[in-house]
Amino acid sequence: MKFIDLRSDTVTQPTDEMRQAMANAEVGDDVYNDDPTVNMLQELAAKKVGKEAALFVPSGTFGNQLALLTHARRGQEVIIGKNNHIVVHEVGAAAVIPGVQLRTLETINGAMDPKQVEKAIRSDDIHEPETGLICVENAHGCGSVVSVENLMEIKNIAEKHSIPVHLDGARIFNAATSLNVDAKDITACADSVMFCLSKGLAAPVGSILAGDKKFIDRARKNRKLMGGGMRQAGILAAAGIIALEKMTLRLNDDHENAKYFAEELSKLNGVTVKKDRLDIDMIFFEMGEDIIQEKLLIEKLFEKNIKISGKEDGEYRFVTHVGVTKEDIDFVINSIKELM
Ligand SMILES: *Cc1c(COP(=O)(O)O)cnc(C)c1O
């Protein structure tokens, strides 16, 4: 049964070409560096984000936590936006796996104020924790893209204090598409970057952690420690190669569809679309319980084969992706109108 699934871009299915490539992938034991398809993906990924080396990891959360574990020591402090994925959506892993303390700062549309970042860096007072890392996120999960200028300012401050920067770039290619720059222009603002192959890029599983060779060599060992040595992972990497080569080229379609969706939603009485956070494939909006009750909306749309998530912080989030067409959007809009 076909569903129009607006819950996330993580629901994307591998393309037919990916399934073919997966079936035919040449594989080996990747813990011995023997998987030619994983090696090919890692080389391609490193090139795409302008880093010396890259490592295939099971998920975005895994890649971020691996970055924290590899950059920072236990008990060190990580400066990070208070609504970043690592803070809100990784189950508190930063306390469990790398054992770091998160120093959270306010963000405006996903961006930290560089002046606040500099102020948050600890002195060498005997009582204070050491600042071990600064984390930024782009595209940000709030739907916004952060400017290269903002990230570069933070990177310059970090360099002045000899602190590394990690970029949670789960949707780095969405950010690059939205800013109309090369992904490398964004990743130049960070020492390491994690990005997902499994979201808008439609690969079934996997993310990449990239950085300089020394960092990736250490991350490789830490990946094994975390249980992420994956043996014949070329089956998965084969889909990742197609995700990088082909699916990065079509993300603008998702962004255009999101803008169209937002425009149509904002025509409905009682709907407030967050238009200042409409940079990628996500639409955030408010619609009061007096218009349609949340529970009813979810149930009635489901009866029409439309899947949506409930509100988070009072906002609905719809996400466009390769499985959502303009006709699908019209169908959803009409279905909501009927309920009204
Ligand atoms: C999805 C996401 C992640 C984590 O990816 P998973 O593969 O779901 O673990 C990390 N950061 C951001 C910003 C994300 O959107």
Side-chain angles (χ1 to χ4, degrees), residues 59-61 64 85 90 137 139 168 170-171 194 196 198-199 207:
S59 72
T61 299
N64 278 336
H85 196 278
E90 301 193 2
E137 184 173 312
D168 177 351
R171 296 186 180 84
M194 183 287 291
C196 294
S198 59
K199 291 188 170 168
S207 293

